[in-house]
Amino acid sequence: MRRHSNSKNMQRRAFLSAASKAGLSLGFLQASTFAGGIMLGRAAEAQSSSAIKRVICVYIGDGAPVNGTNKWLPSNNLVLPVTTAPLESVKQHCVFFSNAIISDAGGAEVGGHGNTAKAFGGAGFSNTFDVELERTLGANSPFPSLLLGVQSHGHGSATKKGGSEIVYQDNPSVAFNRLFGSNLNVSSIGIQRSQSILDLHSQELTALRGVLGSAENERLQEHLASVEKISSRLTQQAENEADPACVNPSWNSGGFIYDSSNKTRFTTESTLQIDTAVLALKCNLTNVVSIMLGNHQSEHAIPELNFKADYHQSIHGGQSGAYEETRAYLSGRLAYLISELENTTDEFGNSLLDSTLIIQSTDMADGDAHSSTDAPVMLAGGGSAINRGQVVNCGRHTNVFDTASEALGLSSEITQFGQGPITGVIA
Amino acid sequence: MPTSNPGGCDANCASDITAYIRSWVPQQEVACELNTGFSYGRRQLRLLTRSEYVNSINDLIGFEVDASTFGVPSNTVIESFANQVFTPVTQAYMDAYVSIAEAAANYAESQNFAGIADCTNDSTAQCANKFINEFAYKAYRRPLTPDEAALYRALFVSSLSEGNNSEGLKLAIRSALSSPHFLYRSEMGRRVSDIIDEIDNGDPVFTPGENSVTFSGTEIGANAGEDHNSINLYQNYGATQSQYTFTGNDIITIVARGNFANEAWPSLQLRVDNSDVDTISVNSDSDTEYSFLINGVTGSNKYIQVTNVINSAQHSEGRALELRSITYGNAVQVEIPRPDANLDQDAYVLSQYELASFLAYTYTGSTPDDSLYNAAVNNELRTDTQIQTQITRLLATDKARNHFGEFAAQWLHADKVLSATKSTEVFPEFTPDIRHAMATEVREIVKHVIFDNNQPITNIFDDFSFVNAPLANFYGIPGVQGNDFTKVSNLAERGGVLTSGAFMAGFAHEKETSPIKRAVAVREDLLCQKVPPMPTNIELARELADGALEEYIQGKGGVITNRDRYGFQTQGAPCSDCHQEIINPHGFGMEDFDAVGLVRAMDANNLNIDASGELIGTYTLADGERSDFHGAKQLSETLAALPATRECFSKKSFRFAMGVGHDVFDHIAENAPVLSGEEKSGYACALDSMNASMNQSNNNARAGLITLGLRDIVRYRKQR
């Protein structure tokens, strides 16, 4: 196994060096919103590594029909069964794991409903793997991470920070606007004013931590970090030649308007969230994205399918072929993400997929049985750093996160979630 | 179960699974131990929920905002209730808060800052003081400390405000509405041992009394038209004060700012009646308050002198001291109430302001109003009578009705109906308007029962409802006009929350009912019984049941009722461990309501509906008590007569108010805090009191709600 040399410290040094050369682009900031919309274009940080530097964690709830005849796991020569068939066009970019066991920190099988964060390694850990990535890989990004949900709210989160579940943003328009925003004219005094507020809040939070001592310390530290991140965005150096595609990106050409009560538009909502994720990565606004496609109670329904009731009912309703159809649909959503990354270029003109690692995980193996073994877990992307287009024995599903840490060169900075990297995945 | 191995789950396997299921049956609840003295709640720093946040901003400046469109994440939900006692303010939250605060400030400007500060013809310094004294305390829900006030004065300096009061006010509003002191409501309190130590060993604290008088402008030597008397180094302002009579124990409060020059701030020396009082550093370029205690000076016509004295820094002509105002007042010692001697030393006592916030958000879902805030200012939230007066007043407001309407929606999952998947082919009349009307119906029923006519809480199962004309038409109830919700009584087939469309359609599938979901909701929401979740690794039994279902249907002629389908699917161990008694018997008894909440006698296949039911386990899951019924309306009558339903209201409202359950914080979440026996016992005492109060008041909910607010666990906390 090869260890990449792009450690956090090296990244930070390279970032600071590049930023110091860039200089403050006030005009650029003036064209942006305050809380969001600062287009960094070719961010300094991105220049420091040519290997994997972006990660998308995708949660697909309730496993797949794997008991009895496994309808998710491809054969060793990548013949895809029904629920992975939609990945046919991108399978050469994928690593499918066999014998994946949904496990906690001690290795116990924990597949089933509740505590959704187990999908991202949260069982037995207070932070999920994506939060660890936010802390490390995302530290220098304008947005350390993005949590984009598709009808995910209401039944647990795949992401847990400090023991608390973190709610995803299900509204695609809000998620997009947070990043790319409108074009308020923020003058230099406007920036000073905003900074003065943030300074005031920082002082208040620091004082509050002093008064409360150890109580609430971790939570207030998170709050303070959020304030400081906005402040740093305001002063962050931006290059002058911002990519026009990032200043006013094309998005939502269909004019979709979100309605939280309307659960019939999963396809459109997931498409838009994926589009936002890809844009955010391309524009280096973030390099850590988490996506939840539904939740463990699976109340979403897909009207365009033959089976029109909710996902949960497709699993437990006893109707032959229903679970296969609804789960295959979700693989199709994953395929869309992979293909969009493949067809999008980064700042160097390379396919975004080559510098992005996708981890798709779940909370149980077979949704009908609430089982733990043979869970549908896979990787995609990563370019030449990953031996793609294969089926690999997994063991604990948390080993996948250790594999990702290794591939990112972050093993020394991220807690080992499982038993270590999986042999044969990293090139 | 693989068809090739139907015996894969043998007797031991089934036994293990059964044991697993039984392990989820909660242990007997901890009872109230009356000999424990005080009971203590838990210290909490509660991030405002979305509605609390929105309501507060609206009450403070009249700005109505849809927080979701600005990206405030959805509420953290614990055991069905919005609960943000552990929610961290992540990037997404802070981005949204900052954006909304900016929008709110712009709105305030459009309204000429009405209700915030009228700074017409004021200097920026005067405007800053008005903001601090007339608005900021409302946002912070307590007076600002001198340090905090200085931070806000700094927002009005010319480098930021450009001398424009509107800019200063907007900046201050933006800051206040995204400050942690606005975003969190504190239930942290102050440690008993620290309070006692301050009383016994600390210096007395004084505050100006009512007989105070302030001088500013030309009265203190400022040039006409200027706010400040600028005093250069070595210079002074001095005057014989004839308009104030010293009492021997007085406070002089000076508002001043300094010019930082040659690496130093100016030093202010105060002399009264030719004696030095103190010399302090004026280390802020915005107006800041400095207070001096004057002892032993009596009478009027005393000479006051404020001097800009040299300090250890190098001389600099630019180090001016700018005097804004001088206030004279009799000193009143701040009374610090001694905590009850029986309180544990490691307990924490909520401040009057924290208590006011608890009462405001608990009973109205928003920030304290003037009356409540003033009660806190005047230490008038100390006795049960004082607190009860406030709670009773708050419960009489429209805000309280709306707030407990939202409580009902969260408690009974009324908004599930808004997005529940339904077949538009089978139910074309089940429109979004009908869904919204159903969600409103539940809110109106519960509000009516809590607030009107001193009814027992069990009337939520009575034979009335609230409908508008579209919903009445959908239900087939005659005589209702218009879009306003009106009470319809003596309904023959429905009435109350159980038979509401929101319940029946929310807990149902696309085309057919879900007797399982309904049954579990009855247990968990209405009886406060925890149903075990489906166990893991039961694939063998599941596959067996699923595989045989189709054959069974064919054997029955190709169609079966929903009841028959679920009965078949859940028969036999391990499924039957829960379904046989805990779920199916009463779930099947609600089959007379279809998947959109309409009464039915036949299903879509023209098969007769069997709505015979039995509730097994009426107080606890395993008590063996049985009650027969037929149809959901009879089940409503059954539920109305059970002690468990009355007590369940107390338990749910307890969690809603306290941010923690009486027995568990979250019975599923891995990282949820665990309640100690002592803590649970205290909460049990609170529940007992709530139930007793309701018993004495025709089981009316308000009596229980009032009692909760008076309990020790509200005022006294511990770090858990």
Side-chain angles (χ1 to χ4, degrees):
Chain A
M1 257 171 271
R2 181 165 65 87
R3 288 288 294 267
H4 295 284
S5 60
N6 55 330
S7 70
K8 180 187 174 189
N9 287 337
M10 287 189 64
Q11 286 185 347
R12 179 165 176 75
R13 282 196 295 272
F15 169 75
L16 292 174
S17 173
S20 65
K21 294 171 185 171
L24 177 63
S25 178
L26 189 57
F28 184 71
L29 288 169
Q30 286 172 334
S32 304
T33 55
F34 164 48
I38 299 173
M39 301 295 97
L40 290 187
R42 197 146 54 92
E45 182 185 12
Q47 300 174 22
S48 62
S49 171
S50 59
I52 302 171
K53 56 200 174 196
R54 304 173 175 96
V55 178
I56 302 180
C57 295
V58 180
Y59 165 83
I60 293 180
D62 295 359
V66 296
N67 283 359
T69 302
N70 192 322
K71 297 172 182 172
W72 179 86
L73 185 67
S75 64
N76 285 336
N77 59 350
L78 289 192
V79 175
L80 304 181
V82 59
T83 65
T84 34
L87 292 159
E88 180 66 31
S89 63
V90 294
K91 67 181 181 182
Q92 71 276 15
H93 299 300
C94 301
V95 179
F96 299 90
F97 291 107
S98 60
N99 303 309
I101 305 166
I102 304 300
S103 308
D104 68 8
E109 298 182 9
V110 292
H113 288 294
N115 291 306
T116 305
K118 74 185 78 166
F120 290 169
F125 293 98
S126 58
N127 283 350
T128 44
F129 179 66
D130 55 339
V131 169
E132 289 296 298
L133 290 177
E134 174 193 274
R135 183 178 61 78
T136 52
L137 191 62
N140 292 326
S141 298
F143 297 86
S145 72
L146 297 179
L147 302 183
L148 306 176
V150 184
Q151 300 181 21
S152 72
H153 183 59
H155 295 286
S157 171
T159 297
K160 187 168 65 172
K161 176 183 282 187
S164 293
E165 292 186 344
I166 308 299
V167 176
Y168 280 52
Q169 178 55 261
D170 280 358
N171 184 331
S173 299
V174 167
F176 177 84
N177 287 335
R178 181 178 170 224
L179 297 168
F180 298 98
S182 58
N183 288 314
L184 293 177
N185 182 17
V186 179
S187 62
S188 59
I189 195 170
I191 294 174
Q192 286 181 50
R193 287 169 179 157
S194 297
Q195 288 287 21
S196 70
I197 295 173
L198 298 167
D199 289 346
L200 190 154
H201 293 162
S202 293
Q203 292 181 61
E204 288 185 329
L205 284 163
T206 301
L208 195 54
R209 290 174 72 193
V211 170
L212 298 182
S214 59
E216 304 287 349
N217 189 49
E218 190 174 348
R219 198 161 161 233
L220 293 174
Q221 174 59 38
E222 172 73 16
H223 190 152
L224 181 59
S226 298
V227 171
E228 290 174 343
K229 176 54 75 175
I230 298 177
S231 180
S232 71
R233 267 189 235 150
L234 285 173
T235 53
Q236 203 157 19
Q237 315 298 300
E239 290 199 344
N240 291 325
E241 68 269 29
D243 186 343
C246 295
V247 175
N248 188 20
S250 173
W251 185 85
N252 190 19
S253 58
F256 172 82
I257 297 173
Y258 179 73
D259 176 358
S260 62
S261 297
N262 189 338
K263 300 295 187 186
T264 67
R265 303 180 295 180
F266 194 95
T267 302
T268 304
E269 291 171 14
S270 56
T271 297
L272 291 173
Q273 294 284 50
I274 289 169
D275 291 348
T276 296
V278 173
L279 275 170
L281 293 180
K282 174 184 172 62
C283 298
N284 286 314
L285 292 175
T286 190
N287 47 16
V288 180
V289 178
S290 302
I291 297 175
M292 281 185 75
L293 298 176
N295 59 48
H296 80 89
Q297 284 294 349
S298 307
E299 291 172 327
H300 69 268
I302 316 298
E304 55 265 44
L305 302 183
N306 292 321
F307 185 83
K308 299 185 187 307
D310 61 47
Y311 185 41
H312 186 270
Q313 187 68 354
S314 78
I315 296 171
H316 292 309
Q319 180 173 324
S320 178
Y323 189 14
E324 288 83 348
E325 183 187 27
T326 53
R327 184 57 183 80
Y329 167 84
L330 294 169
S331 289
R333 296 286 75 206
L334 182 65
Y336 176 71
L337 170 63
I338 296 170
S339 63
E340 285 298 296
L341 287 169
E342 183 180 14
N343 297 324
T344 302
T345 54
D346 65 11
E347 64 272 30
F348 306 111
N350 300 322
S351 169
L352 208 54
L353 185 60
D354 289 343
S355 59
T356 305
L357 189 63
I358 299 166
I359 304 169
Q360 184 255 289
S361 190
T362 184
D363 44 16
M364 62 187 85
D366 189 293
D368 195 22
H370 305 163
S371 55
S372 297
T373 58
D374 298 322
V377 179
M378 58 180 285
L379 292 177
S384 58
I386 300 293
N387 291 323
R388 295 156 298 159
Q390 60 168 341
V391 176
V392 180
N393 188 61
C394 182
R396 298 182 193 177
H397 84 299
T398 46
N399 295 340
V400 176
F401 306 123
D402 295 338
T403 307
S405 293
E406 181 76 9
L408 290 158
L410 295 171
S411 293
S412 63
E413 298 182 50
I414 292 179
T415 303
Q416 184 167 306
F417 278 77
Q419 296 167 301
I422 300 166
T423 302
V425 176
I426 300 176
Chain B
M1 178 181 297
T3 53
S4 60
N5 183 22
C9 189
D10 58 17
N12 285 338
C13 161
S15 175
D16 289 345
I17 292 170
T18 302
Y20 170 81
I21 293 172
R22 292 300 181 207
S23 74
W24 278 90
V25 175
Q27 297 176 346
Q28 189 167 6
E29 293 185 354
V30 173
C32 170
E33 298 287 344
L34 292 175
N35 59 353
T36 57
F38 283 98
S39 301
Y40 304 97
R42 50 176 51 223
R43 297 179 82 203
Q44 296 177 140
L45 195 59
R46 304 172 74 165
L47 182 66
L48 297 184
T49 65
R50 255 195 198 172
S51 63
E52 289 170 343
Y53 170 79
V54 166
N55 291 343
S56 299
I57 289 179
N58 192 16
D59 285 347
L60 286 170
I61 64 171
F63 180 54
E64 294 184 17
V65 61
D66 179 352
S68 65
T69 62
F70 280 85
V72 177
S74 300
N75 288 325
T76 304
V77 176
I78 307 290
E79 303 274 345
S80 92
F81 291 105
N83 184 332
Q84 309 221 111
V85 300
F86 290 113
T87 303
V89 174
T90 62
Q91 282 285 285
Y93 280 96
M94 203 61 218
D95 286 347
Y97 291 145
V98 167
S99 295
I100 290 175
E102 186 170 13
N106 290 336
Y107 170 83
E109 182 183 36
S110 74
Q111 304 300 306
N112 293 321
F113 303 102
I116 297 171
D118 180 1
C119 291
T120 308
N121 299 324
D122 282 346
S123 67
T124 52
Q126 291 170 317
C127 192
N129 283 338
K130 280 188 177 174
F131 179 84
I132 292 163
N133 295 327
E134 298 174 14
F135 179 79
Y137 73 87
K138 294 180 181 176
Y140 279 43
R141 301 181 286 274
R142 58 165 175 76
L144 272 61
T145 65
D147 287 347
E148 290 165 343
L151 291 174
Y152 275 90
R153 287 194 180 93
L155 298 178
F156 286 79
V157 297
S158 58
S159 61
L160 292 172
S161 68
E162 297 179 315
N164 185 329
N165 283 337
S166 291
E167 293 300 332
L169 283 170
K170 282 196 294 181
L171 197 53
I173 292 168
R174 287 169 62 189
S175 182
L177 296 185
S178 54
S179 160
H181 298 296
F182 170 70
L183 298 173
Y184 298 105
R185 53 184 177 109
S186 171
E187 294 171 6
M188 299 299 285
R190 190 165 179 224
R191 192 178 170 95
V192 168
S193 57
D194 289 345
I195 300 172
I196 292 174
D197 182 60
E198 182 179 355
I199 294 171
D200 292 343
N201 304 312
D203 294 330
V205 176
F206 294 92
T207 188
E210 294 179 355
N211 300 320
S212 63
V213 56
T214 299
F215 301 95
S216 61
T218 54
E219 295 170 323
I220 57 169
N223 293 327
E226 294 183 2
D227 293 332
H228 294 82
N229 177 1
S230 185
I231 304 171
N232 291 328
L233 190 58
Y234 304 120
Q235 303 300 306
N236 66 66
Y237 158 74
T240 298
Q241 183 49 262
S242 61
Q243 297 182 53
Y244 181 74
T245 302
F246 284 84
T247 65
N249 192 21
D250 303 272
I251 287 181
I252 293 178
T253 301
I254 295 176
V255 175
R257 66 187 183 191
N259 288 336
F260 188 79
N262 207 355
E263 303 301 316
W265 295 100
S267 291
L268 182 157
Q269 181 195 60
L270 176 66
R271 289 172 63 81
V272 176
D273 202 19
N274 296 316
S275 297
D276 286 352
V277 176
D278 202 357
T279 301
I280 51 97
S281 175
V282 180
N283 52 2
S284 172
D285 60 3
S286 60
D287 286 341
T288 303
E289 284 186 4
Y290 303 93
S291 293
F292 303 84
L293 190 62
I294 315 297
N295 286 318
V297 178
T298 58
S300 57
N301 294 315
K302 301 300 178 185
Y303 188 71
I304 312 300
Q305 181 173 300
V306 177
T307 307
N308 183 354
V309 295
I310 186 69
N311 48 37
S312 58
Q314 287 188 324
H315 174 86
S316 174
E317 291 295 334
R319 195 180 299 139
L321 168 68
E322 300 195 323
L323 199 58
R324 175 69 187 88
S325 67
I326 302 177
T327 300
Y328 303 83
N330 57 311
V332 177
Q333 185 170 351
V334 176
E335 180 194 2
I336 304 175
R338 179 174 287 276
D340 190 296
N342 292 318
L343 283 169
D344 292 349
Q345 292 289 298
D346 64 346
Y348 290 77
V349 181
L350 294 196
S351 73
Q352 291 282 283
Y353 299 105
E354 288 175 319
L355 184 53
S357 288
F358 174 88
L359 297 175
Y361 285 104
T362 297
Y363 296 105
T364 68
S366 189
T367 195
D369 60 14
D370 289 344
S371 175
L372 186 54
Y373 186 85
N374 289 334
V377 170
N378 297 317
N379 274 321
E380 291 173 348
L381 296 174
R382 292 169 63 179
T383 68
D384 283 359
T385 301
Q386 290 171 330
I387 297 172
Q388 182 164 344
T389 298
Q390 287 293 336
I391 297 174
T392 302
R393 184 182 67 79
L394 294 172
L395 284 175
T397 63
D398 287 343
K399 286 182 189 173
R401 286 186 78 98
N402 292 332
H403 181 54
F404 282 94
E406 292 312 304
F407 158 72
Q410 294 179 35
W411 169 26
L412 300 167
H413 303 278
D415 290 341
K416 279 178 71 71
V417 72
L418 299 178
S419 60
T421 302
K422 299 296 170 190
S423 169
T424 52
E425 294 177 10
V426 177
F427 305 113
E429 296 177 351
F430 191 68
T431 63
D433 285 345
I434 293 297
R435 291 174 186 255
H436 282 280
M438 287 177 166
T440 301
E441 177 189 16
V442 172
R443 288 169 166 84
E444 293 300 317
I445 291 170
V446 176
K447 284 156 61 175
H448 176 64
V449 172
I450 291 177
F451 291 102
D452 300 333
N453 308 326
N454 197 37
Q455 305 172 64
I457 186 61
T458 48
N459 272 10
I460 63 170
F461 300 108
D462 210 348
D463 59 357
F464 70 89
S465 190
F466 282 80
V467 293
N468 61 3
L471 186 58
N473 291 336
F474 185 79
Y475 285 158
I477 299 173
V480 178
Q481 306 293 324
N483 277 322
D484 291 339
F485 282 75
T486 56
K487 185 178 180 182
V488 285
S489 303
N490 302 315
L491 299 173
E493 296 179 317
R494 60 190 325 128
V497 296
L498 182 69
T499 62
S500 68
F503 184 92
M504 290 299 174
F507 295 107
H509 294 303
E510 179 206 19
K511 296 178 182 175
E512 256 298 356
T513 66
S514 175
I516 296 175
K517 289 183 178 181
R518 290 174 177 177
V520 171
V522 167
R523 293 279 186 201
E524 297 195 335
D525 297 342
L526 301 175
L527 294 167
C528 287
Q529 300 170 349
K530 290 185 178 64
V531 175
M534 280 188 70
T536 57
N537 290 327
I538 58 168
E539 61 266 31
L540 302 178
R542 293 284 304 169
E543 193 166 337
L544 174 67
D546 288 349
L549 177 62
E550 196 60 32
E551 183 179 341
Y552 177 73
I553 293 173
Q554 293 309 315
K556 288 280 190 175
V559 288
I560 59 174
T561 63
N562 211 36
R563 179 181 187 130
D564 208 0
R565 169 187 286 268
Y566 280 101
F568 183 86
Q569 279 187 294
T570 59
Q571 66 183 338
C575 301
S576 59
D577 283 338
C578 283
H579 284 271
Q580 186 170 318
E581 294 192 347
I582 294 174
I583 297 174
N584 290 4
H586 68 284
F588 290 158
M590 293 179 270
E591 280 291 282
D592 56 337
F593 280 75
D594 71 10
V596 292
L598 295 177
V599 178
R600 65 178 182 176
M602 312 270 286
D603 71 7
N605 296 312
N606 289 324
L607 298 176
N608 289 325
I609 293 296
D610 175 3
S612 60
E614 185 178 29
L615 183 63
I616 304 173
T618 59
Y619 194 75
T620 68
L621 278 180
D623 66 15
E625 294 294 322
R626 292 168 174 263
S627 182
D628 294 337
F629 66 92
H630 189 280
K633 194 158 190 304
Q634 278 193 9
L635 177 58
S636 283
E637 295 165 6
T638 298
L639 292 172
L642 295 176
T645 55
R646 294 193 294 276
E647 294 176 14
C648 193
F649 169 80
S650 298
K651 292 173 180 175
K652 297 291 184 183
S653 56
F654 179 96
R655 177 179 284 279
F656 184 64
M658 299 302 297
V660 61
H662 71 287
D663 55 348
V664 65
F665 183 82
D666 184 331
H667 80 288
I668 297 291
E670 177 188 355
N671 297 90
V674 176
L675 278 57
S676 69
E678 173 263 326
E679 183 178 5
K680 286 192 277 192
S681 175
Y683 296 166
C685 294
L687 285 178
D688 287 352
S689 295
M690 292 175 71
N691 293 329
S693 297
M694 291 171 64
N695 258 331
Q696 293 167 9
S697 304
N698 193 34
N699 282 312
N700 181 253
R702 275 185 306 173
L705 295 174
I706 292 169
T707 295
L708 175 60
L710 303 176
R711 295 296 304 180
D712 299 341
I713 57 170
V714 171
R715 279 176 273 185
Y716 307 121
R717 309 291 180 122
K718 281 200 173 180
Q719 186 67 41
R720 306 286 189 183

